[in-house]
Amino acid sequence: NPYAAPVKITVLGPGAWGTALAKIAHEGGHAVTLWGRPERLTAINAANENNDYLPGIALPSDWTLEPNFTTALSEAEGVILAVPSNSFNEITKQLGDFKGIAVSVTKGIEHQTGRTMGGLIEADAPNATPVALSGPSLAAEVARGIPTALVCASESVTAAKTVQDWFHRPTLRMYTSTDVRGVELGGALKNVMAIAAGVCDGLKLGDNAKAALITRGLNEMRRLGTAAGALPETFSGLSGMGDLTVTCFSRQSRNRTLGDRIARGESLETVLASATAEGYPTSRSAKALAARLEVSTPIIDEVYAMLYEGKDVHQAVNDLLTRNPRAEA
């Protein structure tokens, strides 16, 4: 790899995104350890594939699959946290006095506090240097080497550049940012908008409606994000506009699919049982954050009402469409 000297990188979480990033890091010549539940690692080892999350994509045989957390971390210079947001805190609490770079690739907001995943790293692993990695990134496409652009954000310019070096290659362009809050909130909030976009698809509302929803959704993300301390321009970048676009349009998007399926009449329980959709917990956290900051978030409010209060999808759409006319802002 012409970009970076090899380092020891441990990836926590062998889901789709964790596995894809571990594969990319390994291709870059880094010494990669993948940590997760023993049964998942055993299955990956047996098949040289992650059949549950990335079927049909060949994985390395000469990396380390380690089910013991302490062992997996023992020599790591960098750690990638790729676990669902609802168990992220359990992992950060175990990082303890880890002193390397800790990269969050999970898109979520803690409900009680409004903290992002990077905020959890800061609180639980004060010696680590947090970096947030985000952007329009369907895991299967990244794992297959299909061209992708991402952004890594850190208050430490050096740390952001280091992570950029770990992953940057011709098919994966890595940009850097210092607006950690904006990058993290863009990545989290767009999942809520993707559920709304899926509802548009499920109700066959057409492309005009979906384009309007995405435009107003981006505006809402920017409004809430800036109230929470992010820079407005970040939402026009890869973790805002970029990630929002792919998540709202792609058939591979779990959040878009969730909205599509509930709009077609499936029960929320059935849909949630088949896939992790981060927009589900995030809609609750985002609504609470908006209430704390006194920001108007009509789309987030309707998604929350559909998911948590059993509101009829047609009624939710109707309530959005019949709001009082106003200036575009």
Side-chain angles (χ1 to χ4, degrees):
N1 177 19
Y3 299 106
V7 294
K8 293 176 179 174
I9 297 172
T10 294
V11 179
L12 305 174
W17 197 207
T19 304
L21 286 171
K23 178 178 186 281
I24 294 290
H26 178 270
E27 287 168 2
H30 303 295
V32 174
T33 298
L34 185 59
W35 170 87
R37 292 203 304 272
E39 61 274 19
R40 169 128 322 124
L41 298 181
T42 302
I44 290 172
N45 188 48
N48 279 128
E49 278 186 24
N50 188 333
N51 291 318
D52 290 333
Y53 290 104
L54 294 173
I57 296 174
L59 297 176
S61 55
D62 59 339
W63 57 6
T64 303
L65 302 175
E66 177 53 67
N68 182 285
F69 190 89
T70 307
T71 308
L73 267 191
S74 60
E75 294 184 2
E77 296 165 76
V79 60
I80 315 288
L81 289 87
V83 294
S85 63
N86 59 8
S87 51
F88 202 87
N89 208 197
E90 295 166 31
I91 300 301
T92 56
K93 279 183 161 55
Q94 295 178 67
L95 285 180
D97 56 2
F98 177 74
K99 293 179 176 62
I101 292 174
V103 185
S104 166
V105 299
T106 300
K107 297 164 180 176
I109 301 168
E110 191 177 53
H111 178 248
Q112 294 83 353
T113 64
R115 287 188 299 190
T116 56
M117 301 301 102
L120 294 176
I121 294 172
E122 271 181 21
D124 294 336
N127 297 316
T129 306
V131 175
L133 188 145
S134 194
S137 48
L138 299 164
E141 292 190 9
V142 173
R144 287 196 172 95
I146 293 171
T148 300
L150 298 174
V151 58
C152 44
S154 178
E155 289 174 12
S156 162
V157 174
T158 308
K161 281 187 175 312
T162 300
V163 176
Q164 180 181 45
D165 287 345
W166 288 353
F167 292 110
H168 192 89
R169 54 185 42 78
T171 58
L172 189 61
R173 283 195 63 77
M174 296 290 292
Y175 293 83
T176 60
S177 168
T178 52
D179 183 18
V180 184
R181 196 131 181 89
V183 165
E184 288 207 278
L185 287 173
L189 295 172
K190 57 85 197 178
N191 283 330
V192 184
M193 302 307 167
I195 293 172
V199 169
C200 283
D201 290 342
L203 296 179
K204 296 186 166 54
L205 294 183
D207 293 340
N208 291 352
K210 195 166 170 183
L213 173 91
I214 289 168
T215 306
R216 298 308 300 166
L218 182 62
N219 197 54
E220 197 167 301
M221 287 163 56
R222 185 185 293 115
R223 193 163 61 238
L224 180 53
T226 50
L231 298 173
E233 58 268 27
T234 300
F235 296 90
S236 302
L238 288 163
S239 71
M241 184 69 197
D243 209 357
L244 178 67
T245 308
V246 76
T247 316
C248 288
F249 281 103
S250 174
R251 294 271 154 205
Q252 297 176 57
S253 161
R254 288 180 275 197
N255 292 286
R256 191 211 62 81
T257 301
L258 183 149
D260 190 342
R261 289 173 65 182
I262 62 169
R264 291 167 189 262
E266 283 190 63
S267 78
L268 180 63
E269 291 70 30
T270 305
V271 181
L272 289 174
S274 61
T276 301
E278 286 288 7
Y280 174 67
T282 302
S283 63
R284 180 168 164 259
S285 302
K287 184 173 165 60
L289 183 64
R292 269 201 293 277
L293 298 173
E294 299 181 345
V295 174
S296 166
T297 52
I299 299 171
I300 290 168
D301 293 352
E302 293 299 342
V303 171
Y304 172 85
M306 285 187 283
L307 297 179
Y308 287 91
E309 295 172 347
K311 186 170 183 176
D312 177 74
V313 289
H314 296 86
Q315 186 62 48
V317 170
N318 187 61
D319 288 352
L320 272 178
L321 293 175
T322 54
R323 295 172 68 234
N324 289 335
R326 47 176 297 211
E328 183 180 30

